[in-house]
């Protein structure tokens, strides 16, 4: 089984740690590779960034199908281009946000998202609306560190995530936690340890990339993909520009 | 007051009738102009088309603000790029879908959308979720004529819209109707007449372009725009490609 | 275009400032006049007050239609008699609460209402239920100054509104604010200035009378009114008393 | 225990059968009496009728409290004046719609209302919204016989109710039925018999007056009334007109 | 009318005070008796306890019907076995949680539950979901005293209930309170007095056993029971074990 | 990784085909075994059957943990005992209904369940409420063949499933299908083929056992389990009877 992960940014520097995190969780028979965008933003922190990233995400999704991938993952908590990509290909396209938050909803009463910046809240609330998860969302807590600085001080990052996770549990009655950025990948154990030390054991902590990977693998084995009634192939029509996206 | 209408496609042929329809409803002190996209799809019929249209919609929204427009309207029932555009500018950005369906919700118990194709349903249901309008939506009925053929036989078009409108009223208990495509602009009176002849008088029929225009004008006079808490300016960061969208 | 504003109380003293506020926002071609009730309460602060005001509101709505008005506005955040009035006339009847809160829902993630007294909360929550706006309502914050004392100390009033508005933003994650009483008309700029000084810029602040006026004008131009499927003419039947309301 | 039933119309002719129906269900220690309105409409079929009935309903509710009643019932499926009345008195005020539909929600999956006319639907949907019962409401089916003709042909009335009840069960998956007008009082057994003969046994059929009576009696014994946090006493203020309603 | 109350535990010691509390509220013509379980847990504090209690609850419900009871009450705020029991018998089966919380929803804007332990929250939230009461639930506040210690220090219990009730009112905007354990039966007046002294008068406080009793009596008089469409008789099939539950 | 499947009935005859179906989908490193109940019902078709099955399901869940299983699956679309089991053990406990319907919600607009009998509808609607999936559920269609007869005529079974699946698509706008009974395991390909022949290609069809297995495997790899905040260990207390369930 071959699965491609799309880093929906131009930031090549994320690739190695991202791929390593995926391989931590991959099935024995799953071969994971990862690409990043030729054109697009350095990180995804707004709807604006999403808009700029999506055409090249689509290029990569189409290429993944053409190259025989069995599934493709868009590695970002905004799920950029998820529905458009699903229209364009038949192989499963997985969004990290949908996969992780849907899983969270099955593991406990309500979940919180540990996000990056205040500005993450509205887009996450929008996804809750779009996926009908509002009733399962407890809160979005944010660590207030920009995406591109996440790797600058891992200790500070972990500490901030533990602090906000604990607040989500005590103030917002969160029973499950979801990382709000795939850039937090690989920190599950550290955050879990920190929360356990504070007395909050038994709280599922979901790394969205990992959740996306397992959903991708599951769909391949189950011979399932997204519904083509919901995501029918795009109408063939003239497009000006976007040479790589001509139908 | 200067208002720019963005036709989010490359189809120049729509411009004249679109602008004429807007001018039918414009206030005396509103000056309307209209642009279409340099790059993008010929019509918007899928999330895929939206993805391809959005970068150039953003180019036009930014240009509208730079050229001193007081408000800008995205003339399409998918509201393509609405939230991204609102992040990028301070002038009001109006989506035809949000404006028309929010208005519909105030005029009666539940509204139906008279759409184009079966494939329109999921995106409209998604907008209902995103705008919290699901409880006010009665149904999406479709006429089954492609967007680019809407102008081929106006009589057939009007007849199909009346037929589906009547079914929405009788089968789905719709009390208000909203046109599901801005390409249906200008047909309100004809559809209203047809429904009245069938015994369905007193049903508000909303032309989304017209509703969007009035919301745009209203916001300008009210000195209101979208919330910058919800739609904060995008983070300044490196973007590769999209020269016209550099921050 | 002729629009009548109904002050749904016997308090004549509000008329001048109310009309002045409306004229601030009126279109060039809109002629606004205002009436108050012959019988009814001095202010609307309860369902009880609403009950007593409604028959005379209906008298005024009917008269407005008979006198050739194009639309009528009920200038109160309880929307007293809105649905009954819509049954009785064909011209658009606009409620300040519905118009302002529906508009608020389109401008950002969630809105708060800056109300008058604790007792305002249940009726506003009821309107959120009735209009299916609960998911868009963040909170009702109250200034704790009775309606009839609103004009006693404008500085204190503005200060209280700024204080509560700031709390709505910081504590309740409100992204849009709506004044909870039409008696707060004319204070938008002052409150906006105060919040901006506190660091909360870019928050739309909605004066409900102004929002109602723009919806009224819009409906007239759009040749729309409320649905007569939802609000059919009342059955003609015997009424004892209420001579002015005989059908 | 003394309970007063308010017929919220001027139609004295309903009194005897209404009171007889109440007495069928009354507890041994409950003394029921009934009044009708001095001023108001002949029947309640619209929001307009409600508006005209409410002031005199309030007169009667206040009088009921002054005369030492333990509870008061507003005998109508529009629950006219329910919230205003609750503000004005401390004794429990019961609405037939709220009592019957809340009870229905506890007895099975979803309930349908067997209403009178098409025009009943929007007000019932509004009550579902107001009482948060939408998720429990299956449908409103209507018999299409005006309220004031209900007594003209009882056999036809029962037959129509059985027909619509059966359609609610088969078409709308209703598992419980609620009569949509208190004028249908006393027909529970006949409708139940008819449905059982058609094969639909075991369907609870709720006579709203009876449900209201039992809720009234229950609240008296439980020493409960409505919340004065939700329904605080009206503010004392000047009222012009409505001499009987001066505070 | 004969009504049986099932204490869904093996704890015989609760019987006398439980029955005394029921008799405080019983109608003159209602004969109440009470049973406890032969096998099961000492108290119900988890889904696990519910699972162990339910088979013997069913034994008692079946026996109640066989012995000619007119209705049966399951005296516990988890409503253990409610739906299974309703499938198995035709007489009304009342759950204390459903009866009390449905009543609470009719008396004010939103209600809070004064529960026992933190662990009560998820099951109560689940019941809110199951009964579609989430929109009416303000919060669950807990006193943090185990069920089997409730009787150890009544003064401390009452004080804790008043403290949490006051917090529900001030912090969570609760307008109605419901006891979260039937073991709190008989304390309504004391809690009400305490809250009134703190300035929170006019708050309905619901003793769930009392609410369940009145619903049971009401259904008997109304000749109503649960819907056999929702709760059809179980299929007759082989069961191994559970000799008393063979069909 | 060792996963145990619990057939929550006494019907040993299902074991072989059930296990074979699971092994079709199992990962290379997953070792699946299956048990059935010593005491309980022959099939699960009601809440009553659930009640009788649950204590022995708990016995098996506890045994699975004691025997070193990594996860346990309750193989039934009623999810019998799911929450109780989660309280009692730390290893992941997966319900086939929750796993399959949560997955369905991620693959398209709305899903339908192809159930067995009319009586399945209320319990499935209840699960939709409990899991907050109502907004994603299109309908429950039923084939009207008892569980214990499912294997009698496989051709008829498949035909009925195709017929009801097609009706779900055309009448209820279902975009994803979920089998309503784990006894339908292994028929995904046949039903898919039938629907494709009818023109309904691209519809994901979910075998609930398979979905549950993949969720179980995923949680094991992700080192996740259910939240112990939502499902805390049961209180240790006296239990009479149920020797195998003593804490």
């Amino acid at each position: 089984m071959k699965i491609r992960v799309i880093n929906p940014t131009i930031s090549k520097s994320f690739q190695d740690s991202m791929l390593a995190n995926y391989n931590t969780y991959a099935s024995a028979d799953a071969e994971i590779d990862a690409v990043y965008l030729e054109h697009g933003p350095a990180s995804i922190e707004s709807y604006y960034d999403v808009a700029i990233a999506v055409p090249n995400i689509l290029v990569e999704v189409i290429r993944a199908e053409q190259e025989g991938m069995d599934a493709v993952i868009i590695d970002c908590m905004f799920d950029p281009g998820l529905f458009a990509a699903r229209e364009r290909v038949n192989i499963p396209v997985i969004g990290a946000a949908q996969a992780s938050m849907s899983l969270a909803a099955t593991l406990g009463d309500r979940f919180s998202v540990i996000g990056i910046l205040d500005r993450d809240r509205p887009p996450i609330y929008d996804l809750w609306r779009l996926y009908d998860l509002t009733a399962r969302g407890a809160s979005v807590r944010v660590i207030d560190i920009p995406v591109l600085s996440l790797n600058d001080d891992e200790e500070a990052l972990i500490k901030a995530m533990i602090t906000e996770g604990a607040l989500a549990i005590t103030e917002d009655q969160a029973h499950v936690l979801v990382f709000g950025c795939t850039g937090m990948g690989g920190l599950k154990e550290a955050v879990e340890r920190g929360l356990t030390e504070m007395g909050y054991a038994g709280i599922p902590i979901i790394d969205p990339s990992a959740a996306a990977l397992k959903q991708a693998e599951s769909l391949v084995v189950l011979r399932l993909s997204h519904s083509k009634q919901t995501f029918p192939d795009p109408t063939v029509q003239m497009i000006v520009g976007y040479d790589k996206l001509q139908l």
Side-chain angles (χ1 to χ4, degrees), chain A:
Chain A
M1 160 178 13
K2 299 197 298 186
I3 293 171
R4 176 153 300 160
V5 180
I6 299 173
N7 163 359
T9 73
I10 55 167
S11 296
K12 189 184 175 179
S13 61
F14 286 145
Q15 294 300 94
D16 288 350
S17 62
M18 184 178 85
L19 197 50
N21 188 36
Y22 271 92
N23 279 320
T24 306
Y25 295 105
S27 292
D29 60 343
E31 193 180 319
I32 318 292
D33 69 13
V35 297
Y36 59 97
L37 302 191
E38 188 184 344
H39 296 125
S43 70
I44 305 266
E45 299 181 71
S46 62
Y47 278 112
Y48 188 73
D49 295 333
V50 167
I52 291 168
V54 167
N56 274 266
I57 293 171
L58 294 176
V59 168
E60 293 301 336
V61 168
I62 294 165
R63 187 149 54 138
E65 187 176 53
Q66 287 168 346
E67 293 179 5
M69 294 292 139
D70 293 297
V72 62
I73 293 168
I74 301 170
D75 186 65
C76 174
M77 282 300 277
F78 281 78
D79 283 354
L82 180 63
F83 288 3
R86 286 180 170 182
E87 288 176 340
R88 193 57 175 77
V89 299
N90 290 314
I91 57 170
V93 186
I94 311 299
Q98 192 186 47
S100 59
M101 299 195 302
S102 297
L103 179 62
T106 69
L107 297 179
D109 185 64
R110 292 191 310 155
F111 65 86
S112 283
V113 174
I114 309 302
I116 301 286
L117 301 171
D118 270 345
R119 62 177 309 139
D120 292 349
R121 287 199 185 94
I124 290 175
Y125 297 156
D126 287 340
L127 289 182
W128 288 357
R129 291 181 175 110
L130 197 57
Y131 301 153
D132 284 315
L133 289 170
T134 302
R136 288 286 163 173
S139 65
V140 178
R141 289 265 165 187
V142 299
I143 57 171
D144 207 23
I145 301 174
V147 173
L148 297 178
S149 309
L150 284 182
N151 292 335
D152 293 357
D153 182 346
E154 192 174 276
E155 200 177 330
L157 171 59
I158 291 168
K159 199 176 153 196
M161 292 172 73
I162 292 167
T163 301
E164 294 304 321
L167 288 170
I169 295 164
T170 54
E171 299 298 305
D172 311 328
Q173 295 190 38
H175 288 190
V176 179
L177 299 178
V178 180
F179 290 170
C181 179
T182 53
M184 295 164 168
L187 302 182
K188 172 187 185 296
E189 312 297 327
V191 173
E192 197 163 51
R193 205 159 38 236
L195 285 171
T196 301
E197 280 165 15
M198 290 176 73
Y200 306 116
I203 305 280
I205 299 176
I206 299 182
D207 177 323
S209 300
L213 175 62
K214 301 323 278 186
Q215 183 168 358
E217 292 176 355
S218 297
L219 292 178
V220 173
V221 175
L222 296 170
R223 292 186 293 284
L224 286 173
S225 191
H226 45 274
S227 174
K228 292 308 282 187
Q229 296 276 324
T230 306
F231 306 107
D233 293 350
T235 312
V236 177
Q237 61 174 320
M238 189 172 62
I239 296 173
V240 172
Y242 302 96
D243 293 350
K244 293 176 183 160
L245 291 175
Q246 301 304 325
L247 288 166

